[in-house]
Amino acid sequence: MIAKKMVDALNAQINKELNSAYIYLGMVDYFVSENYDGMASWMKAQAHEELEHAEKLINFVQERSGKVDYPAIEKVTNKYKSPLAAFKAGLEHEKFISASIHELYELALAEKDYGTQEMLRWFISEQVEEESNFENVIGRLEMVADAPGGLMIMDGKLGYRKE
Ligand code: FE
């Protein structure tokens, strides 16, 4: 049996992953409205990944015979100042998620919940990748600054992201 405390914390994380998907869907909307089709498809792939993260946690909670609850997902924005501003907001959000995963892991250690620790290790490495993906795009967007030609090239390249 999994501790109630642990289930509650995992449920909170499920909500955060679904909220992440929402945030990125808001960004997709922004990119589509600004005709950045490549960035829109990059961000759509990101939103799908977030749904998979939520699913992974949902399956785990169900496997450990905990109950999943689905609190309301916060409303998100679809307005950003620039593509760079959107990706920067994404990076900040991923840092927040990493901290949240680390807290979950601390709880699993304190609870001596080895199964949850093992499952969370996947998320710990995944977060390293997520932050690095956003940092990489931000670095390149900073290079092109506001040059329309550069932004168009970046948009084309980002459209190649595979799910
Ligand atoms: Fe995630």
Side-chain angles (χ1 to χ4, degrees), residues 1 14 17 19 28 33 46 65 71 81 86 99 122 134 160-161:
M1 239 339 235
I14 290 167
E17 299 293 344
N19 179 240
V28 169
S33 68
Q46 183 64 34
S65 56
K81 238 179 49 234
W122 181 89
F134 276 95
Y160 287 115
R161 175 174 180 174

Side-chain angles (χ1 to χ4, degrees), residues 17 50 53 94 97 127 130:
E17 299 293 344
E50 299 307 338
H53 295 168
E94 286 306 323
I97 294 294
Q127 281 311 117
E130 299 281 49

Side-chain angles (χ1 to χ4, degrees), residues 2-12 61 64 66-68:
I2 184 165
K4 166 95 172 67
K5 236 182 173 173
M6 198 72 243
V7 178
D8 290 348
L10 289 167
N11 268 309
V61 167
R64 304 284 305 273
K67 278 264 179 244
V68 180

